[in-house]
Amino acid sequence: MALRQLATAHCCVWVVALAIGCGDSKLEVQFAKLQHPSGARASANPRLVELLDSIGEQGGLPAQLDSPLGSEWQNVAAGLADAYSAKTHAALAPVLQRVLAPESNAAERRQLLHRHAALLDETRRVVDRPDCQWDVGHRWGFFARMRYLDDARLASRLLLAAALAATAPDEAPAALEHVQRSLRLADSLSTVGRIEARVLAASIREETLSAFRRLALEGLWDGGAAEVVYGRLRDSLADWPSDTRMLIGERATVVHAYEAIRIGWLDRLVSPEERDRLEKENQLVELNSASDERIDADEVVYLEVLSGLIDAADTPYHARTDAVSEAFRVADQAEPLFAQRLFLTDLEEATRIAAADRARCEVWTIALSAAAGLRTPPFRVCPLNGEPYQIEIKQGYVRVSAGAGGPGDLTLPKFTL
């Protein structure tokens, strides 16, 4: 949605709300109260009340989605939060982004890893913990702390930097373990009921597979390494999370946001950039002065759209076009307010990214199976565009393509068995 930036391969996720954990206990209490949509439930709009009752019966309200976390000593997220301070993020994040680039300097990467050897070792130990649960904070809505996403990104990039530093066969096993750890982070984030986490998972997975390919082209991996990554991706695909999960979480977050709007907290929700955009488009005054009746009607529009998207979420992405268009038609026919201007703006892009993530994993399993002589996976049609996968096998390499609108062609060298 327009209140935040979706994660990409080159940036972390940033959210607007920074108040949780800042020490203002009174403000935190107010934020927490918004998890119960009392304002919407008191509405004179019967359709809004009906929709919220239905969501509550399904267990989809903010207060119903948070689940207790396990022991901090066994949890990856808790360990990363302890290991990575704000100072660590500020110092390492831009450098790691630079040293992972294809044109990066290997010497700079080695120097970085030498300086932060203790942190790398701690990251390795933490990511190997048995539990990987993230404190999503649905009860806080858009005011939740999202630092765990930055922690996951930093951990993944530090592990990949270490993997890319491998140059000799005896370093390959440790490098492969780092790749697997990064893929584990992507798998766990994929299950989180927040769009930001789901998009970041796709980005981490893409970056991880890209690093594996770079090392494959350098001849570091043998067929055993290819089989390990193949098995990991097959497991991920077998337990692939439905888009339903992230959409239900997104809906709960926006229900929380509408409660904030009702008490006059729109300015707390929007980022400075978003506020500037709304002011330039002469929309901010209108949004701030919206009546209760307009807010209620607009929330109905949003919830109707999400209902349609959730109903279609288990259909392959390429086959959802009509259902998605029908869902958004509700918003297109309504008076523009919060839903169209803030809350629906990036849902289609987020679901496309999730579909591309799945398609990319399928392409990789097909390519790895052909390049390493492994069992051919059952994937025949790209979920992103509905086109059949095309496989080209030459003497020294394998190429897999899904055509226009797919996740992109993948070329891998054949692996020694």
Side-chain angles (χ1 to χ4, degrees):
M1 50 168 292
L3 298 184
R4 73 219 150 184
Q5 297 176 358
L6 291 182
T8 68
H10 304 292
C11 67
C12 295
V13 177
W14 300 98
V15 291
V16 179
L18 301 173
I20 298 303
C22 69
D24 190 338
S25 59
K26 292 182 179 178
L27 201 55
E28 290 187 11
V29 169
Q30 289 178 295
F31 289 150
K33 285 181 178 179
L34 302 178
Q35 68 184 301
H36 306 290
S38 55
R41 287 193 181 281
S43 171
N45 188 318
R47 181 56 179 159
L48 177 56
V49 176
E50 178 185 359
L51 287 167
L52 286 172
D53 286 345
S54 177
I55 294 169
E57 290 170 2
Q58 299 163 19
L61 293 173
Q64 298 171 310
L65 290 181
D66 276 334
S67 55
L69 301 179
S71 167
E72 287 192 3
W73 295 104
Q74 299 184 53
N75 189 23
V76 172
L80 292 181
D82 289 340
Y84 298 156
S85 65
K87 183 179 179 180
T88 300
H89 276 285
L92 270 182
V95 181
L96 282 171
Q97 181 173 328
R98 186 172 64 250
V99 301
L100 289 181
E103 66 279 6
S104 60
N105 185 296
E108 182 184 12
R109 187 160 53 241
R110 287 193 296 270
Q111 291 171 5
L112 174 75
L113 293 170
H114 178 73
R115 288 197 305 271
H116 298 284
L119 183 61
L120 173 62
D121 194 48
E122 178 65 10
T123 299
R124 177 190 57 77
R125 287 196 298 268
V126 166
V127 178
D128 285 346
R129 289 182 178 183
D131 296 330
C132 203
Q133 300 172 291
W134 310 95
D135 187 8
V136 181
H138 287 292
R139 62 195 178 279
W140 308 113
F142 282 118
F143 302 102
R145 296 185 67 192
M146 304 291 278
R147 177 183 153 184
Y148 69 91
L149 298 179
D150 291 331
D151 288 344
R153 166 67 89 193
L154 197 71
S156 170
R157 286 184 165 170
L158 185 58
L159 292 166
L160 294 181
L164 287 169
T167 57
D170 63 337
E171 296 174 320
L176 184 60
E177 289 180 356
H178 290 323
V179 167
Q180 291 184 82
R181 291 182 181 105
S182 187
L183 289 174
R184 185 192 183 204
L185 291 172
D187 281 342
S188 64
L189 287 170
S190 295
T191 67
V192 174
R194 287 292 295 256
I195 278 182
E196 302 93 333
R198 183 64 192 86
V199 171
L200 181 60
S203 176
I204 286 176
R205 189 150 28 220
E206 181 178 18
E207 205 166 64
T208 303
L209 293 173
S210 176
F212 181 87
R213 181 176 180 274
R214 285 168 62 180
L215 291 170
L217 293 174
E218 293 173 7
L220 184 70
W221 310 123
D222 59 14
E227 186 173 7
V228 167
V229 173
Y230 169 86
R232 179 88 206 191
L233 294 177
R234 287 297 304 270
D235 289 344
S236 299
L237 288 163
D239 195 28
W240 198 261
S242 167
D243 288 351
T244 301
R245 184 175 301 175
M246 75 169 180
L247 291 172
I248 287 175
E250 176 72 3
R251 181 179 63 186
T253 302
V254 175
V255 165
H256 190 287
Y258 273 106
E259 292 299 298
I261 289 169
R262 284 187 176 89
I263 62 173
W265 281 6
L266 176 63
D267 285 343
R268 293 185 184 273
L269 283 171
V270 297
S271 67
E273 295 78 12
E274 191 63 25
R275 185 178 296 109
D276 289 343
R277 181 185 70 81
L278 292 172
E279 286 180 341
K280 289 178 182 177
E281 296 174 359
N282 297 317
Q283 295 176 355
L284 190 59
V285 172
E286 179 188 4
L287 294 178
N288 271 319
S289 61
S291 66
D292 290 342
E293 291 77 12
R294 290 186 70 196
I295 295 172
D296 293 348
D298 191 71
E299 187 169 6
V300 168
V301 169
Y302 174 82
L303 294 178
E304 297 279 18
V305 172
L306 265 289
S307 178
L309 296 179
I310 290 169
D311 288 345
D314 289 328
T315 304
Y317 179 82
H318 68 86
R320 292 185 212 170
T321 304
D322 291 343
V324 170
S325 297
E326 183 64 28
F328 274 97
R329 190 170 293 118
V330 176
D332 294 339
Q333 295 173 349
E335 179 185 14
L337 202 62
F338 303 101
Q340 296 95 317
R341 293 169 177 169
L342 295 176
F343 300 134
L344 295 173
T345 56
D346 62 16
L347 279 180
E348 289 185 275
E349 175 64 7
T351 53
R352 189 202 65 78
I353 289 172
D357 186 27
R358 164 110 199 173
R360 185 177 301 108
C361 288
E362 291 186 4
V363 165
W364 265 85
T365 61
I366 295 169
L368 287 168
S369 70
L374 304 171
R375 183 178 180 181
T376 303
F379 313 119
R380 300 292 179 267
V381 175
C382 175
L384 191 59
N385 61 5
E387 295 294 323
Y389 291 119
Q390 303 292 328
I391 308 173
E392 181 182 5
I393 302 177
K394 297 291 186 180
Q395 185 171 356
Y397 69 88
V398 171
R399 177 180 292 123
V400 180
S401 171
D409 295 354
L410 172 63
T411 301
L412 289 178
K414 287 190 176 181
F415 297 93
T416 57
L417 304 179

